């Protein structure tokens, strides 16, 4: 069966520090991968998606970036964090002809 | 452009009462529709989905939803709510392009009175 992991579970970082969040999927190949952010009390905002290795599409202009160095690995990064980057970051994967996405457990990021 | 509206930010029901969460979508063609549930601090879990066919779809945990094209709605229902159903519920429509991305509503927080 397929599983999705996110690392770390929680993170507290100072403003201006770098960021690297990792998402890995097991039990599937060539999935679409997605990064979402959920600010406190808000809905989900799609940040990036990837349909294959090295292929990244950005949905929202910001100081974040994403990379997909391997088929089942999706990384969210920043060179300098802002206070507004605080939130709950969710990774999701999809495979097949429909949009059914499966979500990871999330990473809680607090920027101080 | 595709969009999803969940008009109720909060809903409170008593345990054992029936539940209906509203969802309206805007989409130019036959949509793919989804309901997800999120417990505090957790990821999202898929409750049910509609792609085509029977407009009444059954999901996990006793939930069902009905697709009504004439009303552009996909409301979520449960006949008897349990305290463990307290969570946030998200409706989503799927983009029918190569991105397969989901457009989410802003969510409805369900509170259950004992």
């Amino acid at each position: 069966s397929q599983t999705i992991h996110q690392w770390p579970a929680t993170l507290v970082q100072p403003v201006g520090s770098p960021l690297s969040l990792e998402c890995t999927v097991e039990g599937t190949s060539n999935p679409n991968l997605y990064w979402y952010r959920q600010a406190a009390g808000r809905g989900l905002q799609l940040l990036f998606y990837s349909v294959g290795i090295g292929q990244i599409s950005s949905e929202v202009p910001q100081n974040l970036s994403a990379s997909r160095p391997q088929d089942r690995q999706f990384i969210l990064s920043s060179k300098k964090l802002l206070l507004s980057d605080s939130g709950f970051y969710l990774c999701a994967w999809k495979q097949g002809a429909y949009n059914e996405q499966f979500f990871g457990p999330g990473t809680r990021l607090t920027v101080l | 452009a595709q969009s999803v509206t969940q008009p109720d930010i909060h809903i409170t029901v008593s345990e054992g009462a029936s539940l209906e969460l509203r969802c309206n979508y805007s989409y130019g063609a036959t949509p793919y529709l989804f309901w997800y549930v999120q417990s505090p601090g957790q990821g999202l879990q898929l409750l049910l989905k509609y792609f085509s066919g029977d407009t009444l779809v059954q999901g996990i945990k006793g939930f069902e939803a009905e697709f009504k094209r004439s009303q552009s709605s996909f409301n979520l229902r449960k006949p008897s709510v349990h305290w463990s159903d307290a969570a946030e519920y998200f409706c989503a429509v799927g983009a029918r392009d190569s991105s397969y991305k989901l457009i989410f509503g802003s969510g409805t927080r369900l509170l259950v009175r004992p």
Side-chain angles (χ1 to χ4, degrees):
Chain A
S1 64
Q2 301 89 353
T3 56
I4 178 169
H5 305 278
Q6 289 189 241
W7 178 263
T10 60
L11 190 60
V12 180
Q13 292 284 91
V15 169
S17 64
L19 173 74
S20 181
L21 303 182
E22 184 170 338
C23 170
T24 59
V25 182
E26 297 177 356
T28 186
S29 61
N30 196 31
N32 279 20
L33 296 171
Y34 304 85
W35 276 113
Y36 293 86
R37 177 169 61 201
Q38 188 175 27
R42 304 281 296 276
L44 285 86
Q45 179 185 39
L46 178 63
L47 302 175
F48 301 95
Y49 68 90
S50 171
V51 300
I53 296 174
Q55 301 179 64
I56 307 295
S57 296
S58 174
E59 288 290 299
V60 182
Q62 59 212 316
N63 73 319
L64 298 172
S65 62
S67 62
R68 185 170 177 175
Q70 301 179 44
D71 182 43
R72 290 168 293 202
Q73 184 184 33
F74 204 22
I75 296 172
L76 183 69
S77 303
S78 174
K79 292 181 179 178
K80 289 185 177 182
L81 284 168
L82 306 173
L83 287 174
S84 57
D85 292 324
S86 292
F88 192 50
Y89 288 81
L90 289 158
C91 181
W93 70 272
K94 181 214 84 71
Q95 192 173 45
Y98 299 105
N99 307 72
E100 186 174 355
Q101 291 182 20
F102 300 94
F103 285 79
T107 294
R108 173 78 57 194
L109 172 65
T110 303
V111 182
L112 301 175
Chain B
Q2 303 137 358
S3 65
V4 177
T5 302
Q6 294 180 247
D8 303 305
I9 298 174
H10 298 280
I11 281 187
T12 300
V13 299
S14 297
E15 190 169 15
S18 63
L19 171 70
E20 182 168 29
L21 301 183
R22 295 183 291 165
C23 172
N24 293 96
Y25 66 89
S26 174
Y27 193 76
T30 301
Y32 297 152
L33 295 162
F34 305 82
W35 275 100
Y36 284 86
V37 61
Q38 184 182 32
S39 297
Q42 304 292 315
L44 275 70
Q45 182 182 22
L46 180 66
L47 282 177
L48 47 76
K49 60 202 175 196
Y50 172 78
F51 296 144
S52 65
D54 193 344
T55 56
L56 184 63
V57 294
Q58 302 297 320
I60 62 171
K61 305 184 178 186
F63 285 92
E64 66 177 27
E66 186 171 11
F67 169 57
K68 293 186 177 180
R69 184 189 303 276
S70 62
Q71 299 177 22
S72 297
S73 69
F74 188 56
N75 294 349
L76 182 70
R77 301 194 294 248
K78 186 169 185 178
S80 178
V81 170
H82 188 262
W83 64 267
S84 60
D85 293 324
E88 185 132 27
Y89 292 80
F90 292 95
C91 182
V93 63
R96 296 176 71 169
D97 56 30
S98 60
S99 73
Y100 292 99
K101 60 188 177 184
L102 292 174
I103 296 92
F104 283 89
S106 54
T108 297
R109 180 163 296 280
L110 173 65
L111 304 174
V112 180
R113 282 193 296 257

